[in-house]
Amino acid sequence: MMKEDNLTLRLKQYFGFDSFKGDQEAIIKSLMGGSDAFVLMPTGGGKSLCYQLPSLLMDGTAIVISPLIALMKNQVDVVNGLTEESGVAHFLNSSLNKQAITQVEEDVHSGKTKLLYVAPESLNKPDNLEFFQSFRISFYAIDEAHCISEWGHDFRPEYRNIRPTIDKIASSRGEKRAPIIALTATATDKVRSDIKKSLGIVDARDFKSSFNRPNLYYEVRQKASEEDADSQIIRFLKQHEGKSGIIYCLSRKKVEELSKKLQINGYKAAPYHAGLDTEVRTQTQDDFLREDIDIIVATIAFGMGIDKPDVRFVIHYDIPKSLEGYYQETGRAGRDGGEGRCIAFYSPKDLKKLEKFTDNKGEAEKEISRQLLEETKAYAESSVCRRKFLLHYFGEEYTKENCENCDNCKHPQKTEEAGEALLAVLKAIKAVKEEFDQSYIIDLVRGRATDNIVRHGHDKLPEFGGGMEINDRHPTIWNPVIRQAMIAHYICKDVENYGFLRLTPEGRQFIRSPKPFTVVLDRQFDEAEDSAYGNVTALDDKLYKLLKNLRKDVARKHNLPPYVVFQDISITLMATNYPITMDELLQIQGVGQGKAKKFGAEFIELIKRYCVENDIQRTDMMRVISLPNKSQKKLKIIELIDKRVPLDEIAKSQGCTFDELLDDIESIVNGGMKVDIGYYIDNDEVVDSDEVADIYEYFRTSETDDIDEAIEEADVYDDEDGLTAEQKTRLVLIKFMSEEGN
């Protein structure tokens, strides 16, 4: 084996570094000594060096199995830039023509190529097997190894066939197989176990780096609507002019729309998704690395292996499908140790859309997706330190109570004593023999005799309804109690078995000897009074609080819930832009002519007085330029509603689903415009009139516009072959907001 000082010299020679970082040196020595290795190292930790340096020093050619063509190109360029010789690194994938493939094969056979990047599909292709059997392989590096596991965030079935192909290559040469190093930035213990089993390296040495990235700031913002999120992003970019960043969207359509919107608002942005030509994607990636563009708007197809150290922000326009994906994508910010702001937009409605994506999957895959989404939901809604939550998810303990670099730590919520609630939960878990998930346990302690609970006979247990009195006082306490009990090690979740909750030894001890247990309640994203905006996006917190108090007074005077007067996004923007005339107020998101006339005068007067008393120097209000086609679509919808065309027919004519149409109408109404859909829902064939009256009355008296809560409280049910409970409730909320608020 190469001496330690020689290894450091080679590091300096090829990469220009004076010393190794973290476990890099130990990993390289292990690999060069012929051992298998599993490397769990966060994005920016220097994973690629762990196989690039040994490939240059060992006999033969290293095979790097990588999932994305863009990643391969980027890394091949980096390695070829390390030496004066050409062809030291190559990639072999479907993008190459016959001549290019011949060149790769010649360079490999001549011994010139030390590093060959291949897609798993290329490695496993029978036509390529003879080529891989024709040269000496120094080792195999499986990059982005989480793709092997169905519990990972980017499962690729072809990754499951890697080990059988490696065995075929070794047996044909009559040699012992070359060492395997598996590398990933994100893996829970379950994913790590899956990877090692699939690759046949269960005895491999583990190298696990800390997941903590102290320089990254984590924040979750509520997304009231797409227009709201667009405006918040443009305001954010205004405050971070010229900085480099990535914005992730779930759909290609949104990627295209948002990138165009950023461009017409003066930002150097470009779209990136799998539907674009390879040449276009490559050019966009190069432009980003060369800083010809500042912002990439992308699907998750972008970013793996992109070595850009000064990405200053990563924004998730939609909440991600898993925390593994979220962590890896946020890890692309601040890789140089400098500023890295990670902002995710969250709406429970988006979560429901993600759940619908799994409808056509098999039962096992659907269950995995459901559990991963549950974890994402918990992260978004939790008020505990986001760093503590993330590190706990990846099996790492974070001992500080306040990281001082996330929204929850900068703006802590009040704590609640919950020892009694925890005891009820722990007893319920024990009573059902630790064989049910979180939602079942919550129903049990609340005393809800669901069909499932009755079928199992658990409504007869003494623990059934054990938390009813607590529930009357604190109906939203159960999720935070269970989530924070996991972090405190009283409960663990068995991911192998449908997310069943299990008691830990500490949990059993708590039952025997209860003690105080403090929790912070979750954020209620659909409740105007408790949304995240005040703490996160209002530039003038003092004014924000004054405006919220005024909103309460105005709501009381008009006998309306506060959210009907102005939504939180409107109050937030008022506390950011200081509108002091009616024209300026009308520029605020969610303020239309009706709202402005009905409620606006008092708000304008308060802001005007506040600016004088506090010597506020107002800047011109920032205008966000919208895409014309979106405005035209909404105008068309308004026109068709004015003509009293049935909503299901409008949806067909606009080429969208009924739910997507409701999204658009909600956006119109939340924008402050009055829309009369009474002709559609005041019809017993569409929605029962008594049901409409009950839902309407619920919204009139409730402090929240939460759809799920309304469905439960107003006893709304799906109609057979008709509208769902959610659709009916949304329709009535649109009617209510339009009539009472606009």
Side-chain angles (χ1 to χ4, degrees), residues 356-373:
K356 284 177 184 172
F357 289 161
T358 67
D359 285 350
N360 297 324
K361 293 181 177 178
E363 284 307 310
E365 202 177 343
K366 196 184 290 188
E367 177 57 30
I368 290 169
S369 296
R370 186 189 69 78
Q371 287 195 49
L372 293 175
L373 277 177

Side-chain angles (χ1 to χ4, degrees), residues 547-731:
L547 290 169
K548 283 193 85 171
N549 288 334
L550 174 60
R551 180 177 67 174
K552 270 187 188 173
D553 294 341
V554 171
R556 209 174 289 121
K557 193 160 55 181
H558 288 269
N559 194 26
L560 290 169
Y563 68 84
V564 177
V565 176
F566 288 120
Q567 292 191 325
D568 272 15
I569 180 61
S570 303
I571 298 291
T572 301
L573 289 172
M574 289 179 207
T576 301
N577 292 319
Y578 306 102
I580 59 170
T581 68
M582 199 57 84
D583 281 345
E584 288 180 349
L585 188 66
L586 286 166
Q587 287 184 45
I588 294 291
Q589 170 89 25
V591 181
Q593 293 281 357
K595 268 194 198 297
K597 276 185 190 171
K598 204 182 273 191
F599 312 118
E602 290 180 73
F603 288 83
I604 287 171
E605 282 308 309
L606 186 152
I607 296 166
K608 200 183 290 183
R609 192 166 62 249
Y610 180 86
C611 287
V612 171
E613 289 171 1
N614 294 276
D615 196 24
I616 302 291
Q617 300 299 309
R618 297 185 331 118
T619 55
D620 290 337
M621 286 186 63
M622 187 187 76
R623 291 174 180 271
V624 175
I625 305 167
S626 296
L627 292 175
N629 60 337
K630 292 206 88 177
S631 304
Q632 285 164 9
K633 183 186 178 189
K634 285 181 181 172
L635 286 172
K636 186 66 180 172
I637 290 169
I638 294 165
E639 180 192 322
L640 292 170
I641 289 173
D642 285 344
K643 289 178 180 175
R644 303 171 75 84
V645 175
L647 298 189
D648 44 349
E649 289 182 23
I650 295 177
K652 279 181 195 168
S653 72
Q654 296 304 300
C656 62
T657 65
F658 194 79
D659 286 333
E660 287 168 342
L661 176 67
L662 292 184
D663 289 343
D664 285 326
I665 300 174
E666 281 169 347
S667 176
I668 291 164
V669 171
N670 290 339
M673 184 167 285
K674 201 175 185 78
V675 174
D676 179 13
I677 59 166
Y679 72 92
Y680 183 71
I681 60 173
D682 294 342
N683 175 348
D684 279 340
E685 288 184 15
V686 177
V687 190
D688 180 80
S689 56
D690 290 339
E691 212 170 7
V692 171
D694 289 344
I695 301 168
Y696 200 95
E697 186 56 28
Y698 167 80
F699 285 123
R700 179 181 287 286
T701 56
S702 172
E703 287 290 302
T704 170
D705 58 354
D706 184 275
I707 296 293
D708 289 336
E709 207 166 302
I711 290 169
E712 189 174 331
E713 293 297 324
D715 280 332
V716 191
Y717 295 95
D718 293 347
D719 289 338
E720 205 173 317
D721 301 324
L723 297 175
T724 65
E726 183 183 334
Q727 288 168 339
K728 290 188 285 187
T729 308
R730 289 176 71 186
L731 282 166

